[in-house]
């Protein structure tokens, strides 16, 4: 809200305030080779680990604390806010870009403005400035004209609205606004934008004027036609007060009931102002907006479509109409050669959140089309292309190769957030691009650079997430892991409500070290108490209860359990448990002897605490331990049987513990007859388990027919 009031020159000045002091890693890595942690936490390094360890880390980094134990943050004060906020090294110009699009098109000339461009030149000649006493005796029009004339002088010399010499004028003007005509009111609103920004939105003269203008404009809103409503709203945008003004919110409420009768340009401009207020009222029927957009889409340019997409995305209003989605993708594909990067970004963000699973081929087709344009897109747009298929797990290897290569070539010029998001996408697809140099080594090295410290200090979540994604892929940069698990980093993460989900990632990182981390790791770990607390907090729940209350995955787990139990000879031969307590989905465990015959799971295993790591018990050399991973609908890359990164990590870690791992793909198991499901299990168990499967389908059918709750299914 406050940052909208920062002019670009001020933002640049704020960026210059960023300190080059290293503040992040010292505690996590200074003692990296000097301290011994719990020896039983160390296991053999993962074979895929291609990192050289910690020798590249910059040991000169220093970590400083304030009284609360957090990192000192580089800050600046926002104009018109009076509050302290983080300086953004990359300013957000989306709204300015969208407004520039509107200003460039004739359809919006009458309803958009730039700062002060509606103030008439006639006011230049009114040079007499009234004293406070004279102001009280002047008409509302005279006071307004005096303020407008004075505002014009701000073009030529610096002036401070909060100077005491203007207090009387501002006070009288604020009280007189209701007496002005609509045109005079708009001229005053325009004139106010000519003054240099004050130190906060709450400074006395400024707040008196803009609050009174806000109140007066809002009172008149229902008397105005849509063109005047938009014109006034655009003046609020020029003042950078759209987000906090009552007028903008009330205008979107009033016009929200008129979307079905809006022309193409009106619909675009309405969604632009909705974007500024970040909300569409619940009573506004989103289906009506989509229906109207279908009708007018052919009359809009792809740049206007970008403005519309930004409005939908920023108000968290995602598309439901499959026809509209198809039309937007078609229009985007036809315009890829000349669409601006910012507009394409907005469109891709909206599509990523809107396209349903049944339309996944449209996204793959769009990625095919985008492949030809990747060479000219900027990095922000390339990132949105990389993320486009994430929601539906649509993997396009050629696109990801090109983007990874582009990122690798200019990684030092990228934001930490961009690096984190690309690493996430590659982890999700469990994909190592063939391009050289290796993107993951570059990511790790970039996280070590002292120039990144201020950015990491501001956005620690990005740093920790990057480290977690690398370990998910089986890569273990020990110095970075230690920095991510150092107490100061954990304290910083716990202090922000925006990082409330990071406990899960930190817990996963520590458990991953336990299972497959390098034996020589001597960096920071979670304390036993902290890990126990986080494991308990994020532990999943075993499926139980009536079927109508279960998720798709829970129903699938129980179905596999029933069929597998019948194949093994009864439920006593298996257990549903969280073998890996840091992963929320449970697995099915069973044992066999050397001949492949099922044997009872030992009681010692059955009674292990839910939050413990369930390693196979080597009570007998004849025992063979098996884990069955039930891979639900979100476990595979779209239209393949390739596991997504998190599930592949689970399979890898179960194997590391000593289990023979079988993956049951829902695509081959779901919606089949009982015999078909048993045959599916027979096939995957024959490939991945120690079970002798011959003849078990027929014996399972006999057993299932004897169970009352299975009889109807078997007969059907």
């Amino acid at each position: 809200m406050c940052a909208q009031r920062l002019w670009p020159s001020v933002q640049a000045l704020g960026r210059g305030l960023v300190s080059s002091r290293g503040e992040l890693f010292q505690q996590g890595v200074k003692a990296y080779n000097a301290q011994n942690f719990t020896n039983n936490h160390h296991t053999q390094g993962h074979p895929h680990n291609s990192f050289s360890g910690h020798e590249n880390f910059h040991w000169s980094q220093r970590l400083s604390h304030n009284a609360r134990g957090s990192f000192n943050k580089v800050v600046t004060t926002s104009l018109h806010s009076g509050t302290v906020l983080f300086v953004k090294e990359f300013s957000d110009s989306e709204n300015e870009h969208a407004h520039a699009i509107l200003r460039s098109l004739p359809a919006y000339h009458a309803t958009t403005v730039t700062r002060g461009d509606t103030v008439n030149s006639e006011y230049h000649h009114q040079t007499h400035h009234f004293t406070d006493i004279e102001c009280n005796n002047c008409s509302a029009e005279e006071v307004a004209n005096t303020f407008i004339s004075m505002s014009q002088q701000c073009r030529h010399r610096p002036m401070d609205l909060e100077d005491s010499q203007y207090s009387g004028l501002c006070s009288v003007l604020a009280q007189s606004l209701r007496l002005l005509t609509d045109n005079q009111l708009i001229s005053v609103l325009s004139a106010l934008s000519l003054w240099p920004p004050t130190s906060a939105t709450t400074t006395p003269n400024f707040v008196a004027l803009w609050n009174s203008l806000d109140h007066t404009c809002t009172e008149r809103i229902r008397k105005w036609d849509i063109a005047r409503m938009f014109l006034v709203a655009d003046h609020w945008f020029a003042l950078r007060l759209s987000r906090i003004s009552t007028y903008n919110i009330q205008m979107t409420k009033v016009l929200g009931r008129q979307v079905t009768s809006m022309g193409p340009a009106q619909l675009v401009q309405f969604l632009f102002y909705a974007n500024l207020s970040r909300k569409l009222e619940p009573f506004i029927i989103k289906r009506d907006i989509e229906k109207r957009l279908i009708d007018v889409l052919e009359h809009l340019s792809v740049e206007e479509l970008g403005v519309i997409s930004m409005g939908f995305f920023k108000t968290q209003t995602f598309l439901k109409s499959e026809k509209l989605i198809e039309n937007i993708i078609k229009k985007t594909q036809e315009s890829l050669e000349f669409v601006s990067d910012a507009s394409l970004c907005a469109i891709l963000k909206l599509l990523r959140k809107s396209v349903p699973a049944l339309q996944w081929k449209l996204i793959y087709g769009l990625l095919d089309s985008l492949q030809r344009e990747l060479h000219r897109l900027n990095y922000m747009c390339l990132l949105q292309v990389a993320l486009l298929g994430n929601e539906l797990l649509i993997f396009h290897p050629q696109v990801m190769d090109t983007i990874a290569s582009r990122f690798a070539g200019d990684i030092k010029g990228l934001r930490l957030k961009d690096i984190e998001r690309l690493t996430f996408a590659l982890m999700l697809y469990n994909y190592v691009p063939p391009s050289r140099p290796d993107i993951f080594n570059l990511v790790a090295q970039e996280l070590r650079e002292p120039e990144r410290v201020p950015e990491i200090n501001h956005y620690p979540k990005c740093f920790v997430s990057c480290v977690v994604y690398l370990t998910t892929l089986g890569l273990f940069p020990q110095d970075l892991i230690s920095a991510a698990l150092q107490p100061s980093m954990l304290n910083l993460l716990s202090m922000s409500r925006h990082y409330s989900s990071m406990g899960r990632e930190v817990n996963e990182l520590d458990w991953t070290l336990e299972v497959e981390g390098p034996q020589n790791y001597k960096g920071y770990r979670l304390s036993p108490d902290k890990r126990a607390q986080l494991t308990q907090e994020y532990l999943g729940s075993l499926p139980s209860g009536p079927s109508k209350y279960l998720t798709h995955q829970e129903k699938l787990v129980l179905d596999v359990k029933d069929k597998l139990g019948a194949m093994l000879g009864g439920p006593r031969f298996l257990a549903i448990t969280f073998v890996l307590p840091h992963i929320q989905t449970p697995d099915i465990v069973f044992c066999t002897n050397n001949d492949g015959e099922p044997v009872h799971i030992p009681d010692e295993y059955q009674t292990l605490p839910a939050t413990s790591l369930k390693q196979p018990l080597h009570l007998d050399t004849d025992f063979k331990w098996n884990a069955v991973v039930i891979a639900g609908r979100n476990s595979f890359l779209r239209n393949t049987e390739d596991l997504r990164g998190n599930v592949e990590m689970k399979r890898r870690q179960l194997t590391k513990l000593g289990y023979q791992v079988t993956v049951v793909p829902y695509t081959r198991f779901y919606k089949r007859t009982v015999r078909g499901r048993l045959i599916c299990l027979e096939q995957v168990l024959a490939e991945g388990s120690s079970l002798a499967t011959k003849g078990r389908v027929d014996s399972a059918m006999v057993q299932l027919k004897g169970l009352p709750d299975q009889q109807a299914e078997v007969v059907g």
Side-chain angles (χ1 to χ4, degrees):
M1 176 174 73
C2 302
Q4 290 184 357
R5 193 61 183 148
L6 284 167
W7 307 131
S9 59
V10 178
Q11 290 176 319
L13 174 63
R15 289 195 294 269
L17 298 175
V18 176
S19 168
S20 62
R21 245 175 74 197
E23 295 176 335
L24 181 60
F25 300 123
Q26 184 259 348
Q27 284 197 4
V29 297
K30 185 176 181 181
Y32 187 68
N33 271 332
Q35 295 186 29
N36 286 319
F37 292 79
T38 309
N39 289 331
N40 62 0
H41 286 170
H42 307 325
T43 55
Q44 185 65 37
H46 192 272
H48 295 147
N49 186 354
S50 61
F51 291 97
S52 56
H54 61 276
E55 61 273 13
N56 293 327
F57 201 88
H58 292 269
W59 299 98
S60 61
Q61 304 304 312
R62 291 293 181 268
L63 181 69
S64 59
H65 296 271
N66 62 22
R68 294 187 300 165
S70 70
F71 300 115
N72 290 336
K73 303 170 185 66
V74 180
V75 296
T76 187
T77 303
S78 169
L79 299 182
H80 283 178
S81 71
T83 59
V84 174
L85 58 135
F86 292 113
V87 176
K88 288 188 177 180
E89 193 155 342
F90 295 79
S91 61
D92 180 1
S93 60
E94 288 179 317
N95 293 334
E96 285 74 15
H97 174 83
H99 190 261
I101 290 171
L102 302 186
R103 289 289 297 163
S104 70
L105 299 173
Y108 305 93
H109 283 178
T111 54
T112 58
V113 296
T114 56
R115 292 178 60 206
D117 68 355
T118 64
V119 177
N120 295 328
S121 59
E122 64 187 75
Y123 296 112
H124 282 297
H125 305 294
Q126 301 182 12
T127 56
H128 175 66
H129 299 160
F130 296 103
T131 65
D132 289 357
I133 296 176
E134 290 174 323
C135 280
N136 289 323
N137 296 322
C138 290
S139 67
E141 182 179 2
E142 290 174 320
V143 173
N145 289 346
T146 297
F147 177 78
I148 294 168
S149 175
M150 192 172 298
S151 302
Q152 289 279 27
Q153 297 181 38
C154 293
R155 299 179 187 271
H156 312 292
R157 65 185 179 93
M159 299 170 66
D160 182 5
L161 186 64
E162 296 306 319
D163 193 306
S164 59
Q165 65 179 308
Y166 308 127
S167 298
L169 176 62
C170 291
S171 177
V172 173
L173 179 59
Q175 297 171 29
S176 307
L177 291 175
R178 68 185 186 282
L179 303 176
L180 299 179
T181 66
D182 291 342
N183 288 338
Q184 291 168 340
L185 183 67
I186 293 173
S187 292
V188 171
L189 188 60
S190 177
L192 183 58
S193 68
L194 293 175
W195 291 80
T198 57
S199 62
T201 56
T202 54
T203 54
N205 292 345
F206 183 69
V207 74
L209 279 179
W210 83 258
N211 277 350
S212 185
L213 282 164
D214 191 22
H215 179 72
T216 306
C217 291
T218 304
E219 275 189 335
R220 300 186 187 188
I221 199 168
R222 294 186 182 276
K223 300 176 183 178
W224 293 340
D225 61 19
I226 191 170
R228 177 151 287 182
M229 287 188 207
F230 284 160
L231 180 61
V232 172
D234 220 59
H235 280 90
W236 287 109
F237 175 72
L239 279 165
R240 301 302 186 263
L241 293 172
S242 298
R243 186 79 181 272
I244 60 176
S245 67
T246 303
Y247 177 85
N248 204 60
I249 295 173
Q250 286 301 118
M251 186 197 70
T252 54
K253 284 183 179 180
V254 170
L255 293 181
R257 302 183 186 277
Q258 303 177 30
V259 291
T260 55
S261 60
M262 285 183 182
Q266 291 174 333
L267 186 61
V268 173
Q269 204 164 351
F270 167 71
L271 286 169
F272 171 71
Y273 298 121
N275 155 39
L276 298 179
S277 62
R278 294 294 193 268
K279 66 183 298 187
L280 282 173
E281 296 297 326
F283 68 80
I284 297 175
I285 301 174
K286 314 305 189 295
R287 185 174 63 252
D288 288 347
I289 299 178
E290 293 192 35
K291 183 178 179 181
R292 186 59 184 152
L293 185 53
I294 291 174
D295 295 336
V296 305
L297 188 60
E298 63 180 305
H299 304 294
L300 299 176
S301 69
V302 70
E303 297 297 330
E304 289 171 296
L305 178 57
V307 176
I308 284 175
S309 298
M310 193 183 304
F312 277 120
F313 185 81
K314 290 296 179 64
T315 59
Q316 297 294 291
T317 305
F318 303 118
L319 306 179
K320 303 295 183 185
S321 168
E322 294 186 5
K323 180 180 179 181
L324 177 58
I325 290 170
E326 185 175 353
N327 290 349
I328 288 176
I329 291 176
K330 181 181 178 182
K331 190 177 191 73
T332 303
Q333 287 175 305
E334 293 170 349
S335 311
L336 281 178
E337 291 184 10
F338 49 82
V339 62
S340 67
D341 288 3
S343 293
L344 182 57
C345 273
I347 294 169
L348 296 179
K349 285 180 181 179
L350 178 63
L351 291 174
R352 174 163 55 93
K353 292 289 188 178
S354 298
V355 177
L358 292 177
Q359 287 186 296
W360 72 269
K361 290 183 180 179
L362 293 177
I363 290 294
Y364 195 90
L366 179 56
L367 287 168
D368 261 343
S369 301
L370 284 163
Q371 186 180 352
R372 298 188 294 271
E373 304 297 326
L374 296 179
H375 66 281
R376 69 169 185 85
L377 299 180
N378 64 23
Y379 290 106
M380 192 69 72
C381 202
L382 286 173
L383 181 63
Q384 293 308 318
V385 176
L387 299 175
L388 179 60
N390 285 187
E391 300 288 324
L392 298 179
L393 294 169
I394 301 167
F395 177 48
H396 196 297
Q398 294 82 10
V399 166
M400 293 304 298
D401 286 347
T402 303
I403 294 174
S405 180
R406 287 278 311 272
F407 271 54
D410 192 26
I411 196 166
K412 291 190 178 300
L414 301 175
R415 298 181 304 172
L416 179 62
K417 181 179 179 181
D418 299 335
I419 295 172
E420 181 263 331
R421 287 288 83 193
L422 179 66
T423 308
F424 166 77
L426 293 171
M427 178 278 296
L428 185 72
Y429 299 133
N430 191 41
Y431 187 63
V432 179
S435 58
R436 290 292 178 266
D438 175 57
I439 184 68
F440 297 120
N441 270 309
L442 287 176
V443 168
Q445 187 55 42
E446 195 61 27
L447 294 177
R448 297 182 176 109
E449 293 297 332
E451 294 80 9
R452 288 286 179 183
V453 171
E455 196 178 2
I456 293 173
N457 200 37
H458 295 161
Y459 307 108
K461 180 183 183 298
C462 288
F463 171 78
V464 174
S465 293
C466 269
V467 176
V468 171
Y469 302 151
L470 291 174
T471 58
T472 301
L473 286 161
L475 307 169
F476 292 86
Q478 299 182 39
D479 54 336
L480 299 181
I481 294 171
S482 184
L485 291 176
Q486 63 174 300
S488 296
M489 176 67 81
L490 302 181
N491 288 340
L492 181 57
L493 292 174
S494 68
M495 288 173 59
S496 173
R497 63 183 176 84
H498 300 294
Y499 300 157
S500 59
S501 64
M502 288 304 295
R504 187 190 310 278
E505 292 196 35
V506 168
N507 191 50
E508 179 183 307
L509 179 59
D510 194 76
W511 274 114
T512 297
L513 273 175
E514 177 92 355
V515 176
E516 53 179 342
Q519 277 190 334
N520 63 343
Y521 178 78
K522 293 182 173 63
Y524 274 102
R525 295 286 305 271
L526 293 180
S527 69
D529 289 344
K530 184 64 175 178
R531 189 172 74 177
Q533 173 206 330
L534 290 174
T535 304
Q536 184 64 53
E537 181 178 351
Y538 294 108
L539 189 68
S541 57
L542 297 176
S544 62
S547 177
K548 64 179 180 179
Y549 298 121
L550 299 178
T551 66
H552 175 274
Q553 178 69 19
E554 289 171 334
K555 292 177 182 177
L556 190 62
V557 169
L558 291 179
D559 198 1
V560 172
K561 169 184 171 277
D562 290 340
K563 306 304 181 287
L564 180 59
M567 292 180 70
L568 296 174
R572 65 189 183 280
F573 288 98
L574 56 76
I576 298 182
T577 186
F578 295 100
V579 181
L580 302 168
H582 52 290
I583 297 179
Q584 281 200 305
T585 52
D587 303 300
I588 300 175
V589 174
F590 69 91
C591 297
T592 70
N593 58 24
N594 283 337
D595 296 327
E597 294 298 318
V599 294
H600 292 166
I601 296 176
D603 291 339
E604 296 93 324
Y605 186 92
Q606 298 273 30
T607 56
L608 288 172
T611 57
S612 67
L613 187 67
K614 317 300 188 306
Q615 300 189 59
L617 303 179
H618 300 288
L619 304 177
D620 190 320
T621 54
D622 288 342
F623 260 64
K624 295 187 181 301
W625 290 81
N626 294 267
V628 178
V629 176
I630 297 91
R633 58 176 57 160
N634 292 321
S635 298
F636 298 96
L637 304 187
R638 184 68 53 182
N639 205 39
T640 75
E641 285 197 1
D642 297 328
L643 293 171
R644 62 184 286 180
N646 314 72
V647 185
E648 181 58 41
M649 179 189 73
K650 177 195 258 195
R651 178 164 68 175
R652 189 180 72 231
Q653 291 185 0
L654 289 171
T655 302
K656 181 76 175 180
L657 288 178
Y659 291 93
Q660 291 187 234
V661 182
T662 300
V663 177
V664 179
Y666 91 102
T667 49
R668 289 162 58 183
F669 183 85
Y670 192 57
K671 289 188 176 179
R672 293 191 175 198
T673 63
V674 172
R675 178 172 285 276
R677 295 180 190 184
L678 291 170
I679 291 173
C680 170
L681 284 178
E682 180 185 45
Q683 292 169 345
V684 295
L685 288 167
E687 295 169 4
S689 78
S690 63
L691 180 68
T693 57
K694 186 177 181 180
R696 295 195 180 276
V697 171
D698 291 334
S699 63
M701 286 294 293
V702 172
Q703 182 170 341
L704 288 172
K705 286 179 181 178
L707 299 176
D709 58 341
Q710 297 283 342
Q711 287 176 355
E713 185 184 6
V714 172
V715 172

